[in-house]
Amino acid sequence: MRTITERFYSALENQLNEVSINGDSLADQYKTSIQLCKKAMAKLKNYISSYNFENTEDEIEFFKVVKPQFYSKYIYFINVYNFLMQKPLGSEEIIKDYINYELTDIKRFFDHNHAFYQYYRSGSSQMDEVYFTRGGFDVHVELEDFEEDELYSTSHDYKLSKIIANEKYQDYLNLELQKILNHDEKPQEIGIELPLTWTFNKTDLVELIYALVALGVFNNGNSEIKSVVSFFQTVFHVDLGAYYHKYTDITRRKKERTAFLDKLKLALLRRIDEKLDEDSGPQQRMKFE
């Protein structure tokens, strides 16, 4: 399953990367992105409809990791598109009020889903079989976040998708607010407008991010992993998903605990040596001539 779904997701990311090349307005780019996500979601649903999960763990992985990757993008693009369409004309104060209203609404959503949000953020798994397998729907769970198709839904996969999307939307709004506060008139480059794509292993990027935060290179050491992860996901157009699980895998390595950082060091040293060889080449030839 994972090989096929990763192929679907990679194809979606490539299509989203191409959206910004056609020169359309931001609103049109987000509208196109919504349509692409909708098609990808339909393709994913069609594939899973004829797929038999190997075991409970396989089913949990799909509804906790795979499906929310697609749905969170869809929800995020809708949020930003609606923000652009409903953005009021007027002074900076009016726009700031509009942004703060949206941020307050997001906070209200997180507060309303505080228990599950904490479960997600802490990387817990003890309730996964209830939250992310079909048939685990409880009538006492909030009904507004349960999809009607019980063959393709669990009680919390859609709620998780909304949490992931709202986290990203919150970062987008904060960037828009900061742009106003700084009187920065340059177009905000976000999400689909950025051309760089991370093509290495996602665990490698998580290793790099945790190393940078550990060294305190951002905001004089006053930065949270969540904020840095969100920034890197936007810049490199990559979805790190449950990045804390990847970090846990790194901490459990028996050998080469900093495998990617070691590769970075060797690659840089090799490049430096090649540069030195190039610079010393003519001198050496002159010396022997």
Side-chain angles (χ1 to χ4, degrees), residues 206-218:
V206 171
E207 182 179 329
L208 175 62
I209 291 172
Y210 271 84
L212 292 171
V213 173
L215 188 58
V217 303
F218 303 112

Side-chain angles (χ1 to χ4, degrees), residues 7-269:
R7 190 183 304 163
F8 289 167
Y9 189 72
S10 178
L12 173 60
E13 287 190 315
N14 290 335
Q15 291 173 329
L16 292 173
N17 281 334
E18 294 174 359
V19 170
S20 61
I21 301 176
N22 59 22
D24 289 341
S25 66
L26 267 181
D28 286 339
Q29 289 182 39
Y30 279 107
K31 187 175 181 180
T32 301
S33 298
I34 291 170
Q35 295 169 344
L36 290 172
C37 288
K38 198 169 183 178
K39 290 179 181 178
M41 288 159 53
K43 189 174 182 179
L44 179 70
K45 183 176 182 178
N46 182 62
Y47 167 71
I48 289 299
S49 65
S50 59
Y51 175 81
N52 293 319
F53 292 109
E54 297 179 2
N55 46 45
T56 301
E57 289 72 25
D58 195 33
E59 183 175 0
I60 290 173
E61 181 181 11
F62 176 77
F63 287 107
K64 185 178 182 180
V65 179
V66 178
K67 185 182 175 184
Q69 284 183 321
F70 291 80
Y71 276 61
S72 63
K73 277 187 178 294
Y74 176 67
I75 297 169
Y76 168 73
F77 287 134
I78 289 178
N79 286 342
V80 177
Y81 177 76
N82 288 336
F83 170 83
L84 294 173
M85 291 296 96
Q86 299 169 16
K87 187 176 181 180
L89 298 175
S91 66
E92 289 185 346
E93 286 300 318
I94 292 176
I95 298 175
K96 282 165 58 178
D97 288 342
Y98 174 59
I99 294 174
N100 283 323
Y101 176 83
E102 291 290 295
L103 287 170
T104 300
D105 195 47
I106 293 174
K107 183 180 184 303
R108 190 180 299 115
F109 169 81
F110 287 142
D111 290 342
H112 181 66
N113 297 284
H114 177 74
F116 180 65
Y117 186 50
Q118 287 296 105
Y119 179 87
Y120 157 68
R121 289 295 306 279
S122 66
S124 300
S125 59
Q126 66 270 21
M127 293 291 293
D128 281 1
E129 191 166 343
V130 175
Y131 291 156
F132 301 109
T133 60
R134 294 162 298 179
F137 176 58
D138 186 339
V139 293
H140 298 293
V141 175
E142 292 84 359
L143 294 172
E144 68 270 19
D145 285 328
F146 179 75
E147 294 179 291
E148 292 183 1
D149 188 350
E150 295 188 31
L151 294 178
Y152 190 62
S153 303
T154 68
S155 63
H156 283 69
D157 68 86
Y158 182 66
K159 188 187 295 289
L160 177 57
S161 299
K162 287 183 68 174
I163 286 175
I164 296 171
N166 278 340
E167 283 186 331
K168 191 173 181 181
Y169 182 44
Q170 185 178 53
D171 290 335
Y172 167 82
L173 292 171
N174 282 324
L175 285 173
E176 289 293 298
L177 186 61
Q178 193 62 45
K179 184 172 67 173
I180 294 175
L181 296 176
N182 293 338
H183 298 280
D184 183 2
E185 299 300 329
K186 294 189 299 182
Q188 181 66 50
E189 293 185 327
I190 55 168
I192 58 175
E193 292 189 294
L194 296 172
L196 293 178
T197 301
W198 181 268
T199 55
F200 254 50
N201 189 290
K202 293 181 181 180
T203 302
D204 292 340
L205 182 54
V206 171
E207 182 179 329
L208 175 62
I209 291 172
Y210 271 84
L212 292 171
V213 173
L215 188 58
V217 303
F218 303 112
N219 301 336
N220 296 314
N222 298 314
S223 60
E224 296 183 356
I225 286 291
K226 172 194 166 188
S227 299
V228 180
V229 167
S230 178
F231 175 79
F232 273 77
Q233 287 185 134
T234 300
V235 171
F236 296 126
H237 209 85
V238 60
D239 190 342
L240 294 176
Y243 57 86
Y244 39 81
H245 288 163
K246 295 179 177 63
Y247 176 65
T248 300
D249 291 339
I250 292 172
T251 63
R252 290 173 177 170
R253 291 172 179 168
K254 299 299 182 182
K255 298 180 180 180
E256 299 181 337
R257 300 180 72 181
T258 56
F260 180 63
L261 297 180
D262 293 342
K263 291 178 184 177
L264 280 181
K265 180 179 178 180
L266 290 175
L268 179 58
L269 289 175

Side-chain angles (χ1 to χ4, degrees), residues 265-278:
K265 180 179 178 180
L266 290 175
L268 179 58
L269 289 175
R270 184 165 57 249
R271 184 157 188 162
I272 291 173
D273 289 340
E274 291 172 353
K275 175 64 175 173
L276 291 174
D277 290 341
E278 291 175 2

